[in-house]
């Protein structure tokens, strides 16, 4: 009698668990394959893209700074961007065309701290600190 009760109560639980386990595994496989497709498509478009997604500038100096960026896009149109970054702050530009830009960092007292050229071809975080 005990054996019949064990078989009657445990066997459906085992088959029910097995069914849920298989469903969970199949769901996990679908989720992972979907994520891998998204990852592949994102990496493909990122390599062929003509823009960088983010250009961030961190300020580690004693006062606020102004970061000016000047360059040209593929059509030859001039691009000018300006960021005012507070002390210990971070500001970002999104979807900036790839290319060579001249930059200028101006201190709060209007003194030019640094000037130069930089080739932006991927996402970057620039940290401005005392040298």
């Amino acid at each position: 009698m005990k054996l019949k009760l064990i078989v009657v109560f445990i066997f459906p639980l085992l088959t029910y668990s097995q069914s849920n386990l298989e469903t969970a595994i199949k769901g996990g496989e679908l989720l992972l394959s979907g994520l891998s497709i998204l990852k592949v498509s994102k990496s493909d478009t990122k390599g062929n893209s003509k823009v960088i997604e983010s250009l961030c500038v961190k300020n580690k100096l004693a006062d606020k700074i102004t970061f000016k960026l000047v360059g040209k896009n593929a059509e030859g149109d001039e691009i000018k961007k300006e960021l005012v970054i507070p002390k210990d702050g971070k500001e970002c530009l999104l979807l900036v065309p790839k290319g060579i830009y001249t930059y200028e960092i101006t201190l709060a007292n209007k003194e030019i701290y640094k000037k130069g050229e930089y080739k932006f071809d991927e996402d970057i975080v620039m940290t401005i600190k005392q040298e």
Side-chain angles (χ1 to χ4, degrees), residues 16 32 34 63 77 97 108 111:
Y16 182 73
L32 287 176
D63 206 356
D77 299 326
E111 179 184 332

Side-chain angles (χ1 to χ4, degrees), residues 14-130:
L14 290 175
T15 58
Y16 182 73
S17 303
Q18 177 104 14
S19 172
N20 281 344
L21 180 63
E22 287 175 8
T23 303
I25 289 173
K26 287 187 188 277
E29 288 173 357
L30 287 173
L31 181 63
L32 287 176
S33 65
L35 289 175
S36 65
I37 288 171
L38 288 176
K39 184 178 177 183
V40 167
S41 65
K42 184 176 180 182
S43 66
D44 285 346
T45 58
K46 195 171 189 178
N48 299 331
S49 177
K50 295 185 184 201
V51 296
I52 54 174
E53 291 182 22
S54 68
L55 161 64
C56 297
V57 181
K58 286 183 179 182
N59 179 13
K60 297 294 182 184
L61 298 176
D63 206 356
K64 74 174 185 172
I65 61 171
T66 302
F67 182 82
K68 293 179 186 175
L69 195 64
V70 178
K72 292 189 177 191
N73 64 9
E75 291 82 33
D77 299 326
E78 189 172 63
I79 298 170
K80 290 184 179 182
K81 304 286 183 179
E82 185 173 308
L83 297 172
V84 177
I85 307 158
K87 176 184 173 186
D88 290 328
K90 176 182 169 184
E91 295 290 329
C92 296
L93 295 169
L94 303 176
L95 301 177
V96 178
K98 291 181 180 179
I100 298 174
Y101 290 84
T102 58
Y103 67 90
E104 182 178 285
I105 301 166
T106 309
L107 301 175
N109 63 3
K110 306 295 182 197
E111 179 184 332
I112 294 176
Y113 178 71
K114 194 181 271 190
K115 279 178 120 175
E117 285 188 345
Y118 193 87
K119 181 178 180 181
F120 294 104
D121 57 358
E122 62 184 7
D123 295 356
I124 187 170
V125 177
M126 297 176 77
T127 302
I128 312 303
K129 57 186 175 184
Q130 195 69 38

